[in-house]
Amino acid sequence: MKKVQETAEKIRTMEIRGAGRIAKAAAEAIRDYTAGLEAASMEDFSARIREVSDLLISTRPTAVSLPNAVKLSSRYSSGNVEEARQEILENASRFIERADKALERIGKMGARRIQDGDVIMTHCNSHAALSIITTAFEEGKDISVFATESRPRRQGLLTIRHLNGFGIPTTLIVDSAVRYYMKEVDKVIVGADAIAANGALVNKVGTSQLALAAHEARKSFMVAAETYKFSPSTIVGNPIEIEERAAEEVIDLSILADLPYVKVKNPAFDFTPAEYIDMIITDVGIIPPAMAYTIIKEHLGWELGDL
Ligand code: RUB
């Protein structure tokens, strides 16, 4: 349990962050916990698996990859402890492998949509989006990147470091310079924290303004998302919760203390409507946002009764 608590804490404090990494860390935590779990009975086993699952899911509310990873990993049908343990170990390992392969596949398929000479804009720090960019570059395409800073946590600094490691020419810009530079951009590629059944995207706050600017300038807006970033519960009408983070990420609280009429809002994500998205590059193919429902039905193994 201590290791699960540590993982949960790392996700909560964003030491582990990004929807894909969070999902993989949760699956690993469940796998390791289950391997060493000493249960007195099947009821005991079930209760403990439920407890760690709930703990992991409670860490951050928006990235649907987290509950998807936990649910897919912690499934079992046997009423026998040893058999149920084996089922979970296999399911968790399968999820981890799926996640690794997904990034590679998205990179390869997405890279086919990148042309020699393309200027790409990306936002925040998405491993799926970066997989496409670095794969295209390694294939020999002469590309360059505009990377947004991504206030307030400045995940853009991770992105520029990553791209620099590949030798990809990169320009760091503040978030508010997105529209100013859009005329120099050919394609926008971002990641996803969640995709709703209607094809709407939830990603780092500011993504929707990139989409709007790309739409206005008639530039292609591409989303890189593993199939486990699609949200089954949106089919039955559940909204995706947008995480609201602490004011101190935005402003020093001592400054705020002197400003009694001022409050701070700090949403971590925003919604981009499907009509601004040209394509979603998933590990099972490149799809229009209108196909989100099909991905959920065919690749997440959900029955409506589960939701
Ligand atoms: C990260 C973020 C990323 C997505 C996709 O937000 O919005 O674009 O999670 O990332 P945070 P990936 O830093 O708040 O977790 O493609 O790596 O899953």
Side-chain angles (χ1 to χ4, degrees), residues 14 16-22 60 63 65 103 123-129 153 155 190-193 202-205 207 224 226 229 243 245 268-269:
M14 291 177 64
I16 300 173
R17 49 145 299 282
R21 292 266 162 103
I22 292 172
R60 290 190 79 187
S65 53
L103 276 185
H123 185 49
C124 192
N125 177 250
S126 157
H127 296 93
R153 298 288 296 226
Q155 290 93 330
V190 297
D193 278 85
V202 177
N203 192 49
K204 180 55 55 194
V205 69
T207 299
E226 301 91 315
K229 307 263 181 78
E243 178 180 6
R245 295 190 63 87
F269 304 97

Side-chain angles (χ1 to χ4, degrees), residues 28-85:
E28 284 165 356
I30 287 175
R31 180 197 58 195
D32 297 346
Y33 176 76
T34 307
L37 175 56
E38 286 174 21
S41 63
M42 195 59 212
E43 288 67 42
D44 188 22
F45 181 87
S46 305
R48 284 160 183 255
I49 295 294
R50 209 171 312 118
E51 187 189 2
V52 293
S53 298
D54 290 348
L55 171 65
L56 288 164
I57 290 174
S58 71
T59 51
R60 290 190 79 187
T62 302
V64 73
S65 53
L66 176 60
N68 279 346
V70 168
K71 285 175 190 163
L72 291 168
S73 299
S74 64
R75 278 185 167 192
Y76 58 88
S77 54
S78 174
N80 170 289
V81 171
E82 276 323 306
E83 285 172 11
R85 187 200 308 279

Side-chain angles (χ1 to χ4, degrees), residues 223-245:
V223 179
E226 301 91 315
T227 44
Y228 54 83
K229 307 263 181 78
F230 289 71
S231 168
S233 74
T234 54
I235 290 182
V236 290
N238 288 325
I240 295 168
E241 184 185 338
I242 298 293
E243 178 180 6
E244 177 75 34
R245 295 190 63 87

